[in-house]
Amino acid sequence: MGRVTSFTAPDPHRSRPELRGTFGASASTHWLATATAQRVLELDGTAVDAAVSAAFVLHVVEPHLNGPGGDLTALVAPAGGEPFVLAGQGAAPAGATIEHYLAEGLEEVPGAGPLAAAVPGSVVAWLDLLATHGSWELDRILAPAIGYARDGHPVHANVVRTIASVRPLFEAHWPSSAELWMPEGRLPEEGELVRNPAWAGVLERLLAEAEAGAEAEAGAESGDVDPRVRRIRAAIRSWSEGFVADAIERAAAVPARHSSGTDHAGVIRAADLAAFRPARETPIALDFRGTTVLKAGPWTQGAVLLQSLGMLDALGREQGDELLDPSTELGAHTVAEVLKLAFADRDAWLADPDGAEVPIAELLDAGYLRERAALVGDTASREFRPGRPGGREPWIPPLREPGAEGAGDGLAGTGEPTVRADGGTRGDTCHLDVVDRHGTIVSATPSGGWLQSSPAIAELGFCLGTRLQMTWLDEASPSALRPGVRPRSTLSPTLLAEGGRVVEALGTPGGDQQDQWQLLYLLRRLVGGWDPQQAIDAPMLHTTSHVSSFQPRTFTPGGLVVESRIGEEVAAGLRDRGHLVTVAGPWTLGRLSAAGVDPRRGWCFAASNPRGAQGYAAAR
């Protein structure tokens, strides 16, 4: 990856070193999850064992960003095997029909409250991955999470800020959440040990029922199934068909306040949990400058990154790689314009293929991407311009600008925590990357079920997610609300392959910004030749000229948010080109992490984001 002379040189002053080793490496959005993953590797667990154990820790230590009632998207590359997508995204419940929501007086799916909940997929997906590709027993995997939930962990300031932002909602409408997150009626203090004994109890009960269920299964069958796998399968049944599913149904049936400002009962039932199965899918991919970039399918926004790379590749080869340098006025402008086109295609076309025809092959076709790239001009576009793959007519979503009627903010602090159009932050979601010494690589983005999603289920210690807010109450939309169909997700981890071998995992929280920030990282890595830590540290930007996936679902034509470190001259030049530039703080955008292997040098590596002083990497 030699640096091209037309690309800006990286800042020689790194925020932290790129970590290298020969044994294994991990990185995540919280130091306790990274430490957990690295501990598993040190004890000869695999990257899958490490990722699953760390993911359950993330449920505990980043409850404002993800939870057991949420979802996940992961890319897994087993050593010597074919990479696959682990789709831990639950579908809409059987009762989640457009007719029901309209009859409730709603014009859109709320951004918070039980009606926004898809079937929880995170726990079952992680356990299923452990059963099929892990090596550790379930009790060893869950021990760190149980310890942090039972005995406490030092709460991060961002968790406290999130609780403070929704305190009025908790006190007025969600008393179970107030009891869980504000014990004794007060906010926790930063660094205070906080506990979640209810969730610890759930995990301990899963372990007990797993043991009993595995013994019963062994007595009823030939016993040729690995006892470890039997125990994990029994835990999954206990979750999906037992006490957890029953508690979720009871809680959802109680009317609760939603971000619409009205009270409604949820529609999720125990049968919906029993029907959920995590999917294993083939990634979609695009070759870019000698590297194959792998993403999850069109039920995610992963195609945005692939389309953007394809369009930029075409422009760079025609006009020079100066157009691909996001540190310059020309490069930032070009990147923003390409992203607008890719997001318009996302909003018009991407959806779960089980619920709509998605022309993904045409959307990634090189000729189509060249035609789309030709639309990039010298000034900022403020149009919504989806393409017509195969001559099809696109669906056009509502294009409501911020402040327009019907585009209110709802309850403070609801919706996915992410970066707002004005550059302010409400948090993010989670991400983790792990590589082991055998060459297995995992990239995962867990999310949903954060503490501000819906009322906490007191006996379980967690709440339901809000992924259904990404659907539309319009049958014509490819991503319309449909029972049994997954909502389109923003969760978008990435794998990179060279010569047919997966060599790197990366990703970031950030909702609609996930693939935007990853695009900048990949341009600096694959075109500029920067190392991972340099690419993570570099100034970030993103466009808001797309329809938000979260409430309020607004469209900000021409909007562009940049970190101040991009420089006043570049920001001024972007304004001259017609971008509505918002300058955010110097270290505010992006929470990228990465881990991988360098086959040529024989080492593994990890890098993490310094923003927010929360993400960490480890390698040995």
Side-chain angles (χ1 to χ4, degrees):
M1 296 183 184
R3 189 176 71 82
V4 297
T5 56
S6 59
F7 229 66
T8 301
D11 187 340
H13 304 290
R14 290 183 179 88
S15 67
R16 55 183 68 177
E18 175 192 343
L19 303 177
R20 297 168 181 165
T22 57
F23 185 81
S26 54
S28 82
T29 49
H30 197 289
W31 65 85
L32 291 178
T34 299
T36 298
Q38 198 65 20
R39 168 186 175 271
V40 175
L41 295 178
E42 296 283 354
L43 295 175
D44 209 28
T46 69
V48 167
D49 298 323
V52 176
S53 191
F56 277 90
V57 168
L58 285 173
H59 287 160
V60 178
V61 302
E62 292 195 320
H64 60 313
L65 309 178
N66 80 140
D71 39 47
L72 76 96
T73 303
L75 291 169
V76 182
E82 291 297 316
F84 62 89
V85 178
L86 174 65
Q89 175 59 63
T97 65
I98 291 177
E99 293 76 16
H100 177 79
Y101 284 62
L102 294 177
E104 290 285 307
L106 299 168
E107 297 180 355
E108 291 185 320
V109 178
L115 278 177
V119 177
S122 178
V123 168
V124 173
W126 282 125
L127 294 182
D128 186 72
L129 179 65
L130 179 66
T132 57
H133 288 81
S135 66
W136 273 27
E137 290 282 359
L138 184 58
D139 58 350
R140 296 184 74 193
I141 291 290
L142 296 181
I146 292 173
Y148 287 130
R150 176 73 67 194
D151 303 325
H153 70 280
V155 67
H156 195 276
N158 289 337
V159 180
V160 177
R161 279 193 287 270
T162 301
I163 297 172
S165 72
V166 288
R167 181 175 185 170
L169 170 65
F170 285 4
E171 293 177 334
H173 300 288
W174 295 0
S176 59
S177 297
E179 183 177 352
L180 177 59
W181 300 112
M182 298 188 302
E184 302 175 358
R186 65 172 181 83
L187 290 173
E189 297 179 2
E190 178 185 356
E192 178 181 345
L193 288 182
V194 298
R195 298 170 175 83
N196 189 340
W199 175 234
V202 168
L203 293 177
E204 290 169 336
R205 183 171 173 181
L206 287 177
L207 290 176
E209 296 193 2
E211 192 67 38
E215 290 179 2
E217 181 180 317
E221 299 181 358
S222 63
D224 57 348
V225 178
D226 181 352
R228 183 189 73 90
V229 174
R230 284 204 303 268
R231 281 186 280 272
I232 298 171
R233 296 298 185 202
I236 292 174
R237 290 194 300 273
S238 184
W239 174 280
S240 300
E241 303 173 24
F243 74 99
V244 174
D246 291 341
I248 287 175
E249 176 171 332
R250 289 194 300 270
V254 178
R257 180 57 49 95
H258 286 61
S259 56
S260 56
T262 50
D263 293 348
H264 308 273
V267 295
I268 192 167
R269 300 292 181 261
D272 296 311
L273 278 82
F276 171 72
R277 299 291 184 276
R280 306 290 175 89
E281 301 173 351
T282 301
I284 58 176
L286 183 135
D287 292 330
F288 178 79
R289 304 297 173 96
T291 296
T292 301
V293 183
L294 293 91
K295 301 291 290 184
W299 58 274
T300 75
Q301 66 178 10
V304 167
L305 178 61
L306 301 186
Q307 282 195 304
S308 298
L309 288 170
M311 286 185 273
L312 288 168
D313 189 40
L315 290 170
R317 294 186 186 281
E318 291 178 3
Q319 303 177 43
D321 283 344
E322 296 87 348
L323 273 71
L324 279 60
D325 185 352
S327 298
T328 67
E329 174 198 325
L330 177 60
H333 164 75
T334 306
V335 166
E337 294 305 294
V338 160
L339 282 166
K340 293 174 189 177
L341 296 169
F343 271 109
D345 275 354
R346 181 199 72 169
D347 294 334
W349 297 110
L350 296 188
D352 184 351
D354 288 342
E357 178 187 3
V358 183
I360 191 64
E362 291 96 329
L363 290 169
L364 298 179
D365 177 74
Y368 174 80
L369 293 177
R370 283 194 298 271
E371 292 177 2
R372 297 286 281 155
L375 297 175
V376 175
D378 294 331
T379 58
S381 170
R382 299 192 180 183
E383 299 178 69
F384 181 82
R385 298 184 291 177
R388 290 170 170 76
R392 301 171 178 84
E393 285 299 312
W395 177 76
I396 307 298
L399 301 177
R400 299 176 306 184
E401 297 187 25
E405 183 178 355
D409 287 333
L411 296 171
T414 58
E416 173 163 276
T418 186
V419 180
R420 298 191 302 262
D422 63 3
T425 60
R426 292 182 292 180
D428 285 306
T429 191
C430 302
H431 185 77
L432 63 95
D433 304 294
V434 188
V435 56
D436 65 29
R437 61 190 177 92
H438 307 292
T440 295
I441 299 180
V442 179
S443 178
T445 309
S447 187
W450 41 78
L451 62 87
Q452 63 273 33
S453 294
S454 61
I457 303 171
E459 61 192 287
L460 300 180
F462 65 84
C463 60
L464 298 173
T466 64
R467 194 63 59 182
L468 291 188
Q469 67 179 295
M470 296 185 177
T471 64
W472 296 95
L473 301 183
D474 178 355
E475 289 285 2
S477 169
S479 54
L481 177 67
R482 297 183 177 95
V485 174
R486 292 171 295 187
R488 190 192 71 219
S489 175
T490 54
L491 306 182
S492 195
T494 301
L495 292 179
L496 305 180
E498 294 179 354
R501 176 183 177 180
V502 173
V503 295
E504 185 172 341
L506 66 124
T508 179
D512 293 316
Q513 288 86 42
Q514 288 185 29
D515 285 298
Q516 302 196 60
W517 295 332
Q518 290 181 72
L519 176 63
L520 306 184
Y521 174 90
L522 291 178
L523 291 174
R524 286 161 171 150
R525 284 276 284 143
L526 303 181
V527 183
W530 298 17
D531 72 36
Q533 193 61 54
Q534 291 169 330
I536 288 172
D537 284 356
M540 291 285 168
L541 59 85
H542 63 261
T543 179
T544 56
S545 194
H546 56 76
V547 178
S548 173
S549 296
F550 302 91
Q551 295 290 341
R553 305 196 71 177
T554 54
F555 172 66
T556 309
L560 185 64
V561 185
V562 302
E563 285 186 328
S564 60
R565 288 182 298 126
I566 202 170
E568 294 182 5
E569 183 177 349
V570 172
L574 292 169
R575 288 192 179 95
D576 289 344
R577 289 177 180 267
H579 296 277
L580 300 178
V581 177
T582 298
V583 178
W587 295 89
T588 54
L589 307 182
R591 287 180 64 198
L592 282 148
S593 66
V597 295
D598 189 326
R600 292 180 292 274
R601 296 180 175 89
W603 66 50
C604 58
F605 62 86
S608 62
N609 172 56
R611 299 163 178 86
Q614 188 168 336
Y616 272 85
R620 183 174 76 82

